[in-house]
Amino acid sequence: MSAKVAVLGAGVMGETLLSGLIRAGRRPEDLLITERREERAAELRERYGVDVVSNLDAAKQADTLVLVVKPQDMPDLLAEIAPAVQPTQTVISLAAGITTKFVESRLPEGVAVVRVMPNTPALVDEGMAAISRGAHCDESHLELAESLLAATGRVVRVPEKQQDAVTAISGSGPAYIFFVVESMIEAGVHMGLPRSTATDLVVQTVVGSAKLLRETGEHPTVLRERVTSPGGTTAAAVRELEDHKVRAAFLSAIEAARNRSRDLAAE
């Protein structure tokens, strides 16, 4: 019999992981998801053919528990499931700023905990997830986490002390990209382009640039310089970005995100 996986939390990321697992070949009967609202539970049953159960029942039935709740909800969730959790189970936490030590301290001794920082491109199977081992993890637990998260994108292993930086770079990162895209579209509209045309131009430029980075393996500086002819239009634009200290602003913004992640963990 296949190992049973329970996704605790049916928000956007919880449903994203569930749907990704099914697309990757997991059988609905080997999956559980938790949701208190009956209307939402019925929707999930209809859409995915999975059992929707309580958090406690999920902890009793599943071999792997994937905790996909807001950081502020994690203490209550752990208190609820702790009586049913066994040292033979694996717990995977996707809550920002919640350390493996925090989760381990609220569960029975010996439970393997893996910490994950995902991001929203998982919605289109292009997510980036960073995983870190807890005190009781071995290679098999990390491989299990990788196999689950690979259903919605790429996975990388990092020491847990780097998770705040990961949160700032890739967890929050899509928002920075959307901010740049939004700004470029507004510039196009300002210069007389229809909004739909500006949107098409910018979105495809971003998609194509990302694909170029991934498929060529070239350093972004090299690719940027290939577009930047001496005395040309791109050089004029880059000079303005440098004059306005955009590079420094990104550094400050990402450091602020990292520091907030640390604050959340401390709280």
Side-chain angles (χ1 to χ4, degrees), residues 213 216-226:
L213 275 166
T216 66
E218 295 275 17
H219 193 280
T221 300
V222 173
L223 294 174
R224 177 177 59 79
E225 289 176 346
R226 286 180 185 163

Side-chain angles (χ1 to χ4, degrees), residues 65-247:
L65 306 176
V66 187
L67 314 183
V68 196
V69 297
K70 296 177 181 177
Q72 60 267 32
D73 296 332
M74 186 63 81
D76 289 342
L77 174 62
L78 293 173
E80 183 180 357
I81 67 174
V85 175
Q86 303 295 320
T88 54
Q89 292 171 297
T90 302
V91 174
I92 301 173
S93 169
L94 275 67
I98 299 295
T99 65
T100 57
K101 186 176 180 180
F102 180 94
V103 178
E104 290 163 353
S105 69
R106 286 158 175 79
L107 295 177
E109 178 65 28
V111 175
V113 177
V114 180
R115 178 178 173 182
V116 179
M117 171 46 60
N119 67 8
T120 55
L123 288 163
V124 291
D125 294 342
E126 288 290 350
M128 184 70 251
I131 66 173
S132 302
R133 68 170 73 228
H136 308 295
C137 282
D138 59 26
E139 181 67 18
S140 66
H141 300 115
L142 291 175
E143 289 178 353
L144 171 61
E146 286 173 333
S147 71
L148 295 177
L149 294 159
T152 57
R154 302 181 69 181
V155 187
V156 63
R157 298 183 187 185
V158 300
E160 188 168 11
K161 65 182 181 181
Q162 295 178 359
Q163 280 285 8
D164 293 319
V166 168
T167 300
I169 292 292
S170 66
S172 299
Y176 316 149
I177 304 301
F178 300 147
F179 186 89
V180 170
V181 167
E182 180 185 3
S183 300
M184 291 174 67
I185 291 171
E186 290 303 321
V189 172
H190 177 74
M191 291 185 289
L193 290 173
R195 184 171 296 275
S196 60
T197 301
T199 300
D200 286 344
L201 289 168
V202 175
V203 171
Q204 183 56 35
T205 298
V206 171
V207 170
S209 299
K211 190 171 183 180
L212 197 60
L213 275 166
R214 174 183 284 180
E215 296 192 1
T216 66
E218 295 275 17
H219 193 280
T221 300
V222 173
L223 294 174
R224 177 177 59 79
E225 289 176 346
R226 286 180 185 163
V227 186
T228 311
S229 302
T233 58
T234 309
V238 171
R239 185 186 66 192
E240 286 294 318
L241 293 173
E242 296 290 7
D243 286 349
H244 286 81
K245 297 181 171 57
V246 172
R247 192 186 304 268

